[in-house]
């Protein structure tokens, strides 16, 4: 699974003004990333507004991306939830022949303790599928502690990677220091990408990267090569816009950028709303600087 290394991007789902899925813009987005250095694509993650897509729409988005990608980049599919047995069933019943792995977010809303989180992923590991653990406490309300991640990594080889998005960068470093051989970590926080990669991480699953794939993938590659000064030049160039896109929630910010680039329309589905005029102006001003 070493091909899931470098810049992975969590693709947005473009919409038309009538809120239907905009497949033409989705084609443009996928092609833009393939031709500009993205290393792999993540389908139906949080950034895709997957929670607002019907089952039929999810299937259509998945099949469209598979078709457009045409095996050019590795694909990862988001399948997660807070009903452990339902997630397990969905993983078992989904055709994963076109996907390298599943990205499965930790259970949200229920707020299980560390043992509950361990048992949840133990059940998912029993499917035998390659699964990426996804820890994002800001969305789930519960943190997977480093000790729990390392415990899972040591016991279940098919839990081979974690997308770590805890707000405490020390947790990233604890996992990298304690993990068993063969288990890897990618940053789930765009701003932490460079220090985490330099510390031994496998790169990032990024939001901002789908708008600036050439720059972001170059930064990650420079980090792999130990070219710290050159990598930080790119980091510093993009750090302000990275912060701006999350100021009013994701993917409102990134869709503002992609709309300004002419890749898609600036449309999100409720309960999300588009970025305020003030934030959009700040984003556009920062884009002009870049």
């Amino acid at each position: 699974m070493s091909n899931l290394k470098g810049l992975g991007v969590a693709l947005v789902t473009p919409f038309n003004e009538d809120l239907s899925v905009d497949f033409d813009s989705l084609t443009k987005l996928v092609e833009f990333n393939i031709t500009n250095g993205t290393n792999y694509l993540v389908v139906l993650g949080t950034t895709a507004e997957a929670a607002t897509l019907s089952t039929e729409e999810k299937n259509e988005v998945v099949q469209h991306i598979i078709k457009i990608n045409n095996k050019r980049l590795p694909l990862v599919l988001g399948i997660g939830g807070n009903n452990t047995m339902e997630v397990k069933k969905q993983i078992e019943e989904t055709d994963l022949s076109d996907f390298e792995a599943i990205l499965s977010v930790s259970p949200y809303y229920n707020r299980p303790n560390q043992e509950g989180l361990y048992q949840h992923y133990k059940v998912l590991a029993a499917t035998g599928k390659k699964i990426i653990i996804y820890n994002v406490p800001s969305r789930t309300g519960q943190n997977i502690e480093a000790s729990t991640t390392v415990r899972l990594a040591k016991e279940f080889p098919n839990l081979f990677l974690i997308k770590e998005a805890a707000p405490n960068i020390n947790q990233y470093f604890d996992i990298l220091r304690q993990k068993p051989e063969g288990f890897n970590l990618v940053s789930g926080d765009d701003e932490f990408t460079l220090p985490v990669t330099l510390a031994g991480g496998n790169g990032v699953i990024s939001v901002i990267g789908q708008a600036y794939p050439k720059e972001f993938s170059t930064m990650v590659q420079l980090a792999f090569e130990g070219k710290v000064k050159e990598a930080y030049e790119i980091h510093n160039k993009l750090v302000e816009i990275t912060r701006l896109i999350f100021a009013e929630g994701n993917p409102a910010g990134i869709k503002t950028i992609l709309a300004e680039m002419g890749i898609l329309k600036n449309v999100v589905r409720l309960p999300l709303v588009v970025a305020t005029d003030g934030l959009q102006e700040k984003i556009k001003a920062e884009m002009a600087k870049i």
Side-chain angles (χ1 to χ4, degrees):
M1 304 306 293
S2 60
N3 53 351
L4 296 185
K5 185 175 182 178
L7 172 62
V9 298
L11 294 168
V12 302
T13 303
F15 298 121
N16 294 302
E17 286 87 349
D18 64 1
L19 299 182
S20 62
V21 176
D22 181 355
F23 289 101
D24 289 341
S25 293
L26 184 56
T27 297
K28 289 166 69 175
L29 179 64
V30 171
E31 289 289 354
F32 176 70
N33 274 270
I34 290 174
T35 58
N36 283 283
T38 293
N39 299 112
Y40 61 99
L41 304 173
V42 178
V43 184
L44 296 184
T46 307
T47 304
E49 297 175 76
T52 71
L53 297 174
S54 69
T55 300
E56 181 180 1
E57 287 173 328
K58 288 179 182 178
N59 290 335
E60 289 173 345
V61 167
V62 166
Q63 292 307 312
H64 187 79
I65 292 173
I66 289 172
K67 179 182 177 182
I68 299 304
N69 180 57
N70 195 24
K71 302 185 184 299
R72 287 179 287 175
L73 294 184
L75 300 177
V76 172
L77 179 63
I79 301 179
N82 60 344
N83 179 339
T84 302
M85 301 315 295
E86 183 62 31
V87 176
K88 177 176 181 284
K89 180 182 178 185
Q90 192 175 349
I91 290 172
E92 289 174 334
E93 294 180 353
T94 300
D95 179 4
L96 300 174
S97 56
D98 291 292
F99 292 91
E100 293 289 334
I102 294 294
L103 175 68
S104 196
V105 69
S106 67
Y108 42 80
Y109 191 74
N110 308 42
R111 299 196 69 187
N113 62 15
Q114 296 303 303
E115 183 62 24
L117 291 167
Y118 167 83
Q119 293 293 338
H120 171 82
Y121 281 106
K122 178 180 179 179
V123 168
L124 301 191
T127 64
K129 306 299 183 182
K130 291 285 187 180
I131 294 172
I132 303 168
I133 301 167
Y134 181 17
N135 184 38
V136 56
S138 63
R139 289 190 179 275
T140 64
Q142 184 64 295
N143 178 45
I144 306 176
E145 295 174 3
S147 58
T148 302
T149 297
V150 172
R151 180 186 177 194
L152 287 165
K154 288 180 176 177
E155 294 186 26
F156 307 106
N158 59 317
L159 301 179
F160 70 104
L161 182 68
I162 183 168
K163 178 186 177 184
E164 180 58 73
N168 178 7
I169 198 167
N170 289 333
Q171 182 162 299
Y172 295 66
F173 297 152
D174 287 344
I175 295 169
L176 288 169
R177 191 176 70 253
Q178 300 169 18
K179 70 179 182 66
E181 188 175 354
F183 184 83
N184 291 298
L185 177 149
V186 295
S187 179
D189 185 317
D190 285 346
E191 191 170 344
F192 288 173
T193 300
L194 183 51
V196 167
T197 304
L198 289 169
N202 260 31
V204 63
I205 293 177
S206 174
V207 177
I208 192 67
Q210 66 197 294
Y212 296 100
K214 192 170 292 184
E215 293 88 343
F216 227 71
S217 62
T218 299
M219 181 187 74
V220 172
Q221 186 58 43
L222 287 169
F224 289 147
E225 296 170 6
K227 297 178 180 177
V228 179
K229 181 181 178 182
E230 297 94 327
Y232 264 108
E233 287 175 358
I234 300 175
H235 168 89
N236 291 332
K237 180 179 176 182
L238 295 176
V239 70
E240 185 59 34
I241 201 161
T242 298
R243 292 173 179 173
L244 285 171
I245 66 165
F246 296 106
E248 293 179 1
N250 181 40
I254 189 64
K255 282 193 167 181
T256 297
I257 297 178
L258 294 168
E260 187 69 8
M261 290 178 165
I263 294 174
L264 49 70
K265 305 172 186 73
N266 194 6
V267 181
V268 296
R269 282 183 175 177
L270 289 170
L272 299 181
V273 293
V274 297
T276 59
D277 290 345
L279 179 59
Q280 290 194 46
E281 289 308 312
K282 289 180 182 177
I283 288 173
K284 292 172 185 177
E286 191 61 29
M287 288 177 70
K289 291 180 187 177
I290 294 171

